[in-house]
Amino acid sequence: PKPKPKPKPKPKPKPNPNPEPKPKPNQARHPFANYAVQLLLQHAPQPQRAALGASLLPRLLTLATSKHGSASAETLLQTADAAQLKAAAQLALAPAPAPAPAPAPGGGGGGGGGGSAMQRLCGCNYGNYVLQRLVKLSAAAERAALLDAVRSASTERNFARIVLSRLGEPEKA
């Protein structure tokens, strides 16, 4: 009988030169990956937390108005420094984007609208919790501007009055 040849040894895997996990920003809205993103925001080394926070902050409104992203958005705010909280407040206070130009006759498309950032946050059953967290954590000047914007955005059909109530604020300034 012929002896069996020895299997070739498998090459040893090369060590990863950058062992830190780098989640993609869209994972913050994923039904399961958002938990990993939250843990990284809370427990990763400071340089990694800062980089992750910087990549997520421009997407705050998208995260805040998403079922799974809203938890990541709240964690982002809880772990943010003063400059990041100020930037988050500026995002929440941003006006509505300019309407898109009308399409040419026979052309498709058109503007999507959506209202101001504050209207989006107050009108969303997830975004209003993120907004409450932002107001609670913001410095006095940003807090006052945010509360004024919530009062201005208040309608019978959104969560603005609930936000004010939960923060112990009057509906009228």
Side-chain angles (χ1 to χ4, degrees):
K2 213 175 196 181
K4 291 184 181 178
K6 290 185 179 179
K8 291 182 182 178
K10 291 183 181 177
K12 292 183 179 179
K14 294 179 182 176
N16 184 351
N18 188 8
E20 299 172 355
K22 290 191 176 185
K24 295 179 182 168
N26 64 349
Q27 290 175 323
R29 293 185 342 195
H30 187 274
F32 304 112
N34 79 82
Y35 294 107
V37 171
Q38 291 175 60
L39 287 171
L40 286 171
L41 284 168
Q42 293 169 331
H43 303 293
Q46 178 54 35
Q48 188 179 1
R49 284 196 319 251
L52 181 57
S55 71
L56 293 176
L57 190 59
R59 296 166 177 84
L60 182 64
L61 293 177
T62 302
L63 292 173
T65 55
S66 161
K67 179 178 183 178
H68 302 293
S70 62
S72 297
E74 283 195 64
T75 303
L76 173 62
L77 294 174
Q78 286 176 297
T79 58
D81 60 23
Q84 289 172 321
L85 287 171
K86 186 172 186 170
Q90 290 170 346
L91 286 172
L93 294 167
S116 71
M118 187 59 67
Q119 289 168 331
R120 287 176 55 199
L121 290 169
C122 289
C124 177
N125 54 338
Y126 306 112
N128 83 85
Y129 289 103
V130 176
L131 179 57
Q132 290 175 52
R133 176 79 57 198
L134 177 59
V135 172
K136 286 178 186 176
L137 296 172
S138 291
E142 285 80 24
R143 179 182 168 91
L146 288 165
L147 289 170
D148 286 344
V150 171
R151 287 183 186 101
S152 295
S154 181
T155 69
E156 292 291 322
R157 297 184 177 197
N158 69 18
F159 296 95
R161 292 182 304 167
I162 293 171
V163 169
L164 293 168
S165 172
R166 296 242 170 96
L167 294 170
E169 295 289 332
E171 288 185 41
K172 306 285 185 212

